[in-house]
Amino acid sequence: MSEGNSQIIPKPIKLIAAACNNMGIGWKGHLPWNLPKEFQYLLETITKVHQPGKKNLIVWGRRSFEAFDENLLPLANAVIVLLTRQLRELPKNAHYMCRDEEEVVKLVSSSPLCDEIETIWVLGGVVCYKNMMRHPWCSHIYFTDIMADFECDTFFPEFDKNIFKLKEKYPGLPSGIQEEKGVKYIFQVYEKDQFPK
Ligand SMILES: NC(=O)c1ccc[n+]([C@@H]2O[C@H](COP(=O)([O-])OP(=O)(O)OC[C@H]3O[C@@H](n4cnc5c(N)ncnc54)[C@H](OP(=O)(O)O)[C@@H]3O)[C@@H](O)[C@H]2O)c1
């Protein structure tokens, strides 16, 4: 274990979410909308690595993982960690289970993941978004603003826009208003000011 005997090297924690006008993200355990191109953007973003041989850690609450289309798993360049207190057995396609966010950070700070993981992507749901955005390693919120009304029962938590600042243009981010099935949306990145790029 590299934890304990040497310094912990921080990994960027990035949240990624899509929310509609009322900040809704979910409805009855699923996404409230069906926007394949927006979803493709999520897949491309979370599976991209900059250094050869590296992987990203994908952090999922149990319900969000269960809502994800199993046919798209396993994801390229990804190690999947589930947040759960109930599950005793690792579900198919998940690599690790953690009981809380602290355990996730410990996991990624220890061998073998400390050498393997480039970015920690947080894919929801609400509690893990809320807890991870407060972590000192949290550097970015990738946020798709879905400019439409959908019925929702699950909502993206509020965040401080003085700490996470909206970047007008961001490298690699498709710019301008997108439209799919008559629904307009815009890809955004909020960056924490003090976090080095
Ligand atoms: N629009 C988007 O970008 C987006 C993204 C993600 C999810 N969603 C939607 O959001 C909904 C699911 O989100 P949700 O907030 O209801 O559920 P969730 O967070 O995905 O899952 C809740 C479960 O995850 C575990 N869990 C969550 N946080 C934990 C923590 N801090 N420590 C330990 N365990 C934790 C617990 O599992 P156990 O019960 O097993 O202990 C909890 O019951 C779905 O509708 C999904 O489609 C939308």
Side-chain angles (χ1 to χ4, degrees), residues 124-180:
V126 181
V127 176
C128 79
Y129 281 144
K130 213 183 257 179
N131 291 341
M132 288 302 232
M133 70 168 66
R134 290 199 203 113
H135 195 280
W137 295 357
C138 185
S139 61
H140 294 84
I141 300 175
Y142 281 61
F143 187 91
T144 305
D145 178 8
I146 301 197
M147 301 147 85
D149 297 316
F150 286 90
E151 195 160 3
C152 296
D153 57 15
T154 314
F155 299 88
F156 193 78
E158 279 188 17
F159 60 99
D160 189 340
K161 292 188 179 146
N162 292 314
I163 296 178
F164 289 98
K165 297 226 169 104
L166 181 60
K167 298 286 143 183
E168 285 300 324
K169 288 197 173 120
Y170 204 77
L173 196 73
S175 63
I177 293 175
Q178 318 286 315
E179 189 163 350
E180 205 176 349

Coordinates of all heavy atoms in Angstrom, one line a residue, residues 124-180:
G124 N -23.3 10.2 -9.9 CA -24.5 10.3 -9.1 C -24.8 9.0 -8.4 O -24.0 8.1 -8.4
G125 N -25.9 9.0 -7.6 CA -26.9 10.0 -7.5 C -26.6 11.2 -6.5 O -25.5 11.6 -6.3
V126 N -27.7 11.6 -5.9 CA -27.8 12.9 -5.2 C -26.7 12.9 -4.1 O -26.0 13.8 -4.0 CB -29.2 13.1 -4.6 CG1 -29.2 14.4 -3.9 CG2 -30.2 13.1 -5.7
V127 N -26.7 11.9 -3.2 CA -25.9 11.9 -2.0 C -24.4 11.9 -2.4 O -23.6 12.7 -1.9 CB -26.2 10.7 -1.1 CG1 -25.3 10.7 0.1 CG2 -27.6 10.8 -0.6
C128 N -24.1 11.1 -3.4 CA -22.6 11.1 -3.7 C -22.2 12.3 -4.5 O -21.1 12.8 -4.3 CB -22.2 9.8 -4.3 SG -22.5 9.4 -6.0
Y129 N -23.1 13.0 -5.3 CA -22.8 14.3 -5.8 C -22.5 15.3 -4.7 O -21.6 16.0 -4.7 CB -24.0 14.8 -6.7 CG -24.2 14.3 -8.1 CD1 -25.5 14.1 -8.6 CD2 -23.1 14.0 -8.9 CE1 -25.7 13.6 -9.9 CE2 -23.3 13.5 -10.2 CZ -24.6 13.3 -10.7 OH -24.8 12.8 -11.9
K130 N -23.5 15.3 -3.7 CA -23.4 16.3 -2.6 C -22.1 16.1 -1.9 O -21.4 17.1 -1.6 CB -24.6 16.0 -1.7 CG -25.1 17.3 -1.1 CD -26.2 16.9 -0.1 CE -27.6 17.3 -0.7 NZ -28.7 17.0 0.1
N131 N -21.8 14.8 -1.5 CA -20.6 14.6 -0.7 C -19.3 14.8 -1.5 O -18.3 15.4 -1.0 CB -20.6 13.2 -0.1 CG -21.7 13.0 0.9 OD1 -22.2 14.0 1.4 ND2 -22.1 11.8 1.1
M132 N -19.3 14.4 -2.7 CA -18.0 14.5 -3.5 C -17.7 15.9 -3.9 O -16.6 16.3 -4.1 CB -18.1 13.6 -4.7 CG -17.9 12.1 -4.4 SD -16.4 11.7 -3.5 CE -15.8 10.4 -4.4
M133 N -18.8 16.8 -4.2 CA -18.5 18.1 -4.6 C -17.8 18.9 -3.4 O -17.2 19.9 -3.7 CB -19.7 18.9 -5.1 CG -20.8 19.2 -4.1 SD -22.1 20.3 -4.7 CE -22.9 19.3 -6.0
R134 N -18.0 18.5 -2.2 CA -17.3 19.1 -1.1 C -15.9 18.7 -0.8 O -15.2 19.2 0.0 CB -18.1 18.8 0.2 CG -19.5 19.5 0.3 CD -19.9 19.5 1.7 NE -21.4 19.6 1.7 CZ -22.2 18.7 2.1 NH1 -21.7 17.5 2.6 NH2 -23.5 18.8 2.1
H135 N -15.5 17.6 -1.5 CA -14.2 17.1 -1.3 C -13.1 18.0 -1.8 O -13.3 18.6 -2.9 CB -14.0 15.7 -1.9 CG -12.8 15.0 -1.4 ND1 -11.6 15.2 -1.9 CD2 -12.7 14.0 -0.5 CE1 -10.7 14.4 -1.3 NE2 -11.4 13.7 -0.4
P136 N -12.0 18.2 -1.1 CA -11.0 19.1 -1.6 C -10.4 18.8 -3.0 O -9.9 19.7 -3.7 CB -9.9 19.1 -0.6 CG -10.4 18.3 0.6 CD -11.7 17.7 0.2
W137 N -10.5 17.5 -3.4 CA -10.0 17.1 -4.7 C -11.0 17.4 -5.8 O -10.7 17.3 -7.0 CB -9.7 15.6 -4.8 CG -8.6 15.2 -3.9 CD1 -7.8 15.9 -3.1 CD2 -8.2 13.8 -3.7 NE1 -6.9 15.1 -2.4 CE2 -7.1 13.8 -2.8 CE3 -8.6 12.6 -4.3 CZ2 -6.5 12.6 -2.4 CZ3 -8.0 11.4 -3.9 CH2 -6.9 11.4 -3.0
C138 N -12.2 17.8 -5.5 CA -13.2 18.0 -6.5 C -12.8 19.3 -7.3 O -12.7 20.4 -6.8 CB -14.6 18.2 -5.9 SG -15.8 18.3 -7.2
S139 N -12.6 19.1 -8.6 CA -12.1 20.2 -9.5 C -13.2 20.7 -10.5 O -13.1 21.9 -10.8 CB -10.9 19.7 -10.2 OG -11.3 18.6 -11.1
H140 N -14.1 19.9 -10.9 CA -15.0 20.3 -12.0 C -16.4 19.7 -11.8 O -16.5 18.5 -11.3 CB -14.5 19.8 -13.4 CG -13.2 20.4 -13.8 ND1 -12.0 19.9 -13.4 CD2 -12.9 21.5 -14.6 CE1 -11.0 20.7 -13.9 NE2 -11.6 21.6 -14.6
I141 N -17.3 20.4 -12.3 CA -18.7 19.8 -12.5 C -19.0 20.0 -14.0 O -19.1 21.1 -14.5 CB -19.7 20.6 -11.6 CG1 -19.4 20.5 -10.1 CG2 -21.1 20.0 -11.9 CD1 -20.3 21.3 -9.2
Y142 N -19.1 18.8 -14.6 CA -19.6 18.8 -16.0 C -21.1 18.7 -16.0 O -21.6 17.7 -15.4 CB -19.0 17.6 -16.8 CG -17.5 17.8 -17.2 CD1 -16.5 18.0 -16.3 CD2 -17.2 17.7 -18.5 CE1 -15.2 18.2 -16.6 CE2 -15.8 17.9 -18.9 CZ -14.9 18.2 -18.0 OH -13.6 18.4 -18.4
F143 N -21.7 19.7 -16.5 CA -23.2 19.9 -16.3 C -23.8 20.1 -17.6 O -23.5 21.1 -18.3 CB -23.3 21.0 -15.4 CG -24.7 21.3 -14.9 CD1 -25.2 20.7 -13.7 CD2 -25.6 22.1 -15.6 CE1 -26.5 20.9 -13.3 CE2 -26.9 22.3 -15.2 CZ -27.4 21.7 -14.0
T144 N -24.8 19.3 -18.0 CA -25.6 19.5 -19.2 C -26.8 20.2 -18.8 O -27.6 19.7 -18.0 CB -25.9 18.3 -20.0 OG1 -24.7 17.6 -20.3 CG2 -26.6 18.6 -21.3
D145 N -27.0 21.4 -19.2 CA -28.2 22.2 -18.9 C -29.3 21.9 -20.0 O -29.2 22.3 -21.1 CB -27.8 23.7 -18.9 CG -29.0 24.6 -18.7 OD1 -30.1 24.1 -18.3 OD2 -28.9 25.8 -18.8
I146 N -30.2 21.0 -19.5 CA -31.3 20.7 -20.4 C -32.4 21.7 -20.3 O -33.0 21.9 -19.3 CB -31.8 19.2 -20.1 CG1 -30.6 18.3 -20.3 CG2 -33.0 18.8 -21.0 CD1 -30.8 16.9 -20.4
M147 N -32.6 22.5 -21.4 CA -33.4 23.7 -21.3 C -34.9 23.3 -21.6 O -35.4 23.7 -22.6 CB -32.9 24.7 -22.3 CG -31.4 25.1 -22.1 SD -30.5 25.4 -23.5 CE -30.9 27.1 -23.7
A148 N -35.4 22.5 -20.7 CA -36.8 22.0 -20.9 C -37.3 21.6 -19.6 O -36.6 21.4 -18.6 CB -36.8 20.8 -21.9
D149 N -38.6 21.4 -19.5 CA -39.3 20.9 -18.3 C -39.6 19.4 -18.4 O -40.2 19.0 -19.4 CB -40.6 21.6 -18.1 CG -40.4 23.1 -18.0 OD1 -39.5 23.5 -17.2 OD2 -41.1 23.9 -18.6
F150 N -39.2 18.7 -17.4 CA -39.5 17.2 -17.3 C -40.0 17.0 -15.9 O -39.5 17.6 -14.9 CB -38.3 16.4 -17.6 CG -37.9 16.3 -19.0 CD1 -37.0 17.2 -19.6 CD2 -38.4 15.3 -19.9 CE1 -36.6 17.2 -20.9 CE2 -38.1 15.3 -21.2 CZ -37.2 16.2 -21.7
E151 N -40.9 16.0 -15.8 CA -41.3 15.6 -14.4 C -40.1 14.8 -13.8 O -39.6 13.9 -14.4 CB -42.5 14.7 -14.5 CG -43.2 14.6 -13.2 CD -44.6 14.1 -13.3 OE1 -45.1 13.9 -14.4 OE2 -45.2 14.0 -12.2
C152 N -39.7 15.2 -12.6 CA -38.6 14.6 -11.9 C -38.9 14.3 -10.4 O -39.7 15.1 -9.8 CB -37.4 15.5 -12.0 SG -36.8 15.8 -13.7
D153 N -38.2 13.4 -9.9 CA -38.3 13.1 -8.4 C -36.9 13.1 -7.7 O -36.8 12.9 -6.6 CB -39.1 11.8 -8.1 CG -38.4 10.6 -8.8 OD1 -37.2 10.7 -9.2 OD2 -39.0 9.5 -8.9
T154 N -35.9 13.4 -8.5 CA -34.5 13.4 -8.0 C -33.9 14.6 -8.6 O -34.0 14.9 -9.8 CB -33.8 12.1 -8.5 OG1 -34.6 11.0 -8.3 CG2 -32.5 11.9 -7.8
F155 N -33.1 15.4 -7.8 CA -32.6 16.7 -8.2 C -31.2 16.9 -7.9 O -30.7 16.4 -6.8 CB -33.4 17.8 -7.4 CG -34.9 17.7 -7.8 CD1 -35.8 16.8 -7.0 CD2 -35.4 18.4 -8.9 CE1 -37.1 16.7 -7.4 CE2 -36.8 18.2 -9.2 CZ -37.6 17.4 -8.5
F156 N -30.5 17.5 -8.8 CA -29.0 17.8 -8.6 C -28.9 18.8 -7.4 O -29.6 19.8 -7.3 CB -28.4 18.4 -9.9 CG -26.9 18.4 -9.8 CD1 -26.2 17.3 -10.1 CD2 -26.2 19.6 -9.5 CE1 -24.8 17.3 -10.0 CE2 -24.8 19.6 -9.5 CZ -24.1 18.4 -9.7
P157 N -28.0 18.5 -6.5 CA -27.8 19.4 -5.3 C -27.3 20.8 -5.7 O -26.6 20.9 -6.7 CB -26.8 18.7 -4.5 CG -26.2 17.7 -5.3 CD -27.0 17.4 -6.5
E158 N -27.7 21.8 -4.9 CA -27.2 23.1 -5.1 C -25.7 23.2 -4.9 O -25.2 22.4 -4.1 CB -27.9 24.1 -4.1 CG -29.2 24.5 -4.5 CD -29.8 25.5 -3.6 OE1 -29.1 26.2 -2.9 OE2 -31.0 25.7 -3.7
F159 N -25.0 24.0 -5.7 CA -23.6 24.2 -5.5 C -23.3 25.7 -5.6 O -24.0 26.4 -6.3 CB -22.8 23.3 -6.5 CG -23.0 23.6 -7.9 CD1 -22.1 24.4 -8.7 CD2 -24.1 23.0 -8.6 CE1 -22.3 24.6 -10.0 CE2 -24.3 23.2 -9.9 CZ -23.4 24.0 -10.6
D160 N -22.2 26.0 -5.0 CA -21.8 27.4 -4.9 C -21.1 27.9 -6.2 O -20.0 27.4 -6.5 CB -20.9 27.6 -3.7 CG -20.6 29.1 -3.4 OD1 -20.8 29.9 -4.3 OD2 -20.2 29.4 -2.2
K161 N -21.7 28.8 -6.9 CA -21.2 29.2 -8.2 C -20.1 30.3 -8.1 O -19.5 30.7 -9.1 CB -22.3 29.7 -9.2 CG -23.2 28.5 -9.6 CD -24.2 28.7 -10.6 CE -24.9 27.4 -10.9 NZ -26.3 27.6 -11.2
N162 N -19.8 30.6 -6.8 CA -18.6 31.5 -6.6 C -17.4 30.6 -6.4 O -16.2 31.0 -6.6 CB -18.8 32.3 -5.3 CG -19.8 33.4 -5.5 OD1 -19.8 34.0 -6.6 ND2 -20.7 33.5 -4.6
I163 N -17.6 29.3 -6.1 CA -16.5 28.4 -5.9 C -16.3 27.6 -7.3 O -15.2 27.5 -7.8 CB -16.8 27.4 -4.8 CG1 -16.8 28.2 -3.4 CG2 -15.7 26.3 -4.7 CD1 -17.1 27.4 -2.2
F164 N -17.4 27.1 -7.8 CA -17.3 26.5 -9.1 C -17.8 27.5 -10.1 O -19.0 27.9 -10.2 CB -18.3 25.2 -9.1 CG -17.7 24.1 -8.3 CD1 -18.2 23.9 -7.0 CD2 -16.8 23.2 -8.8 CE1 -17.8 22.8 -6.2 CE2 -16.3 22.2 -8.0 CZ -16.8 22.0 -6.7
K165 N -16.9 27.9 -11.0 CA -17.2 29.0 -11.9 C -17.4 28.5 -13.3 O -16.6 27.7 -13.8 CB -16.0 30.0 -11.9 CG -15.8 30.7 -10.6 CD -15.7 32.2 -10.7 CE -15.7 32.9 -9.4 NZ -14.5 33.3 -8.9
L166 N -18.5 29.0 -13.9 CA -18.8 28.5 -15.2 C -17.8 29.0 -16.2 O -17.5 30.2 -16.3 CB -20.2 29.1 -15.6 CG -20.8 28.7 -17.0 CD1 -20.9 27.2 -17.1 CD2 -22.1 29.3 -17.2
K167 N -17.2 28.1 -17.0 CA -16.2 28.5 -18.0 C -17.0 28.7 -19.3 O -17.7 27.8 -19.8 CB -15.2 27.4 -18.2 CG -14.4 27.1 -16.9 CD -13.4 28.2 -16.7 CE -13.3 28.6 -15.2 NZ -12.4 29.7 -14.9
E168 N -16.7 29.8 -20.0 CA -17.4 30.1 -21.2 C -17.1 29.1 -22.3 O -17.9 28.6 -23.0 CB -17.0 31.5 -21.7 CG -17.7 32.6 -20.9 CD -19.2 32.6 -21.0 OE1 -19.7 32.2 -22.1 OE2 -19.9 32.9 -20.0
K169 N -15.8 28.9 -22.4 CA -15.4 27.9 -23.4 C -14.4 26.9 -22.7 O -13.6 27.3 -21.9 CB -14.6 28.5 -24.6 CG -15.5 29.3 -25.5 CD -14.9 29.6 -26.8 CE -15.9 30.3 -27.7 NZ -15.5 31.6 -28.1
Y170 N -14.5 25.6 -23.0 CA -13.7 24.7 -22.3 C -13.1 23.7 -23.3 O -13.9 23.3 -24.2 CB -14.5 23.9 -21.2 CG -13.6 23.4 -20.2 CD1 -13.1 24.2 -19.2 CD2 -13.2 22.1 -20.2 CE1 -12.2 23.8 -18.2 CE2 -12.3 21.6 -19.2 CZ -11.9 22.5 -18.2 OH -11.0 22.0 -17.3
P171 N -11.8 23.4 -23.2 CA -11.2 22.5 -24.3 C -12.0 21.2 -24.4 O -12.3 20.5 -23.5 CB -9.8 22.2 -23.7 CG -9.5 23.3 -22.7 CD -10.9 23.8 -22.2
G172 N -12.3 20.9 -25.7 CA -13.0 19.7 -26.0 C -14.5 19.7 -25.8 O -15.2 18.7 -26.1
L173 N -15.0 20.8 -25.3 CA -16.5 20.8 -25.0 C -17.2 21.3 -26.2 O -16.9 22.4 -26.7 CB -16.7 21.8 -23.8 CG -18.0 21.7 -23.1 CD1 -18.1 20.5 -22.2 CD2 -18.2 23.0 -22.3
P174 N -18.2 20.5 -26.7 CA -19.0 21.0 -27.8 C -19.7 22.3 -27.4 O -20.2 22.4 -26.4 CB -20.0 19.9 -28.0 CG -19.6 18.7 -27.2 CD -18.7 19.2 -26.1
S175 N -19.5 23.3 -28.3 CA -20.0 24.6 -27.9 C -21.4 24.9 -28.5 O -21.7 24.3 -29.5 CB -19.0 25.7 -28.2 OG -18.9 25.7 -29.6
G176 N -22.1 25.8 -27.9 CA -23.4 26.3 -28.4 C -24.5 25.4 -28.0 O -24.3 24.3 -27.4
I177 N -25.7 25.8 -28.4 CA -26.9 25.1 -28.0 C -27.1 23.9 -29.0 O -27.0 24.0 -30.2 CB -28.1 26.0 -28.1 CG1 -28.0 27.1 -27.0 CG2 -29.4 25.2 -27.9 CD1 -29.1 28.1 -27.1
Q178 N -27.2 22.7 -28.3 CA -27.5 21.5 -29.1 C -29.0 21.2 -29.1 O -29.7 21.7 -28.2 CB -26.8 20.3 -28.3 CG -25.4 20.6 -27.8 CD -24.4 20.6 -28.9 OE1 -24.3 19.8 -29.7 NE2 -23.5 21.6 -28.8
E179 N -29.4 20.5 -30.1 CA -30.9 20.1 -30.1 C -31.0 18.7 -30.5 O -30.4 18.2 -31.5 CB -31.6 21.1 -31.0 CG -33.1 20.9 -30.9 CD -33.9 22.0 -31.5 OE1 -33.4 23.1 -31.8 OE2 -35.2 21.8 -31.6
E180 N -31.9 18.0 -29.8 CA -32.2 16.6 -30.1 C -33.6 16.3 -29.8 O -34.1 16.7 -28.7 CB -31.3 15.8 -29.2 CG -30.9 14.4 -29.6 CD -30.0 13.7 -28.7 OE1 -29.4 14.3 -27.8 OE2 -29.8 12.5 -28.9

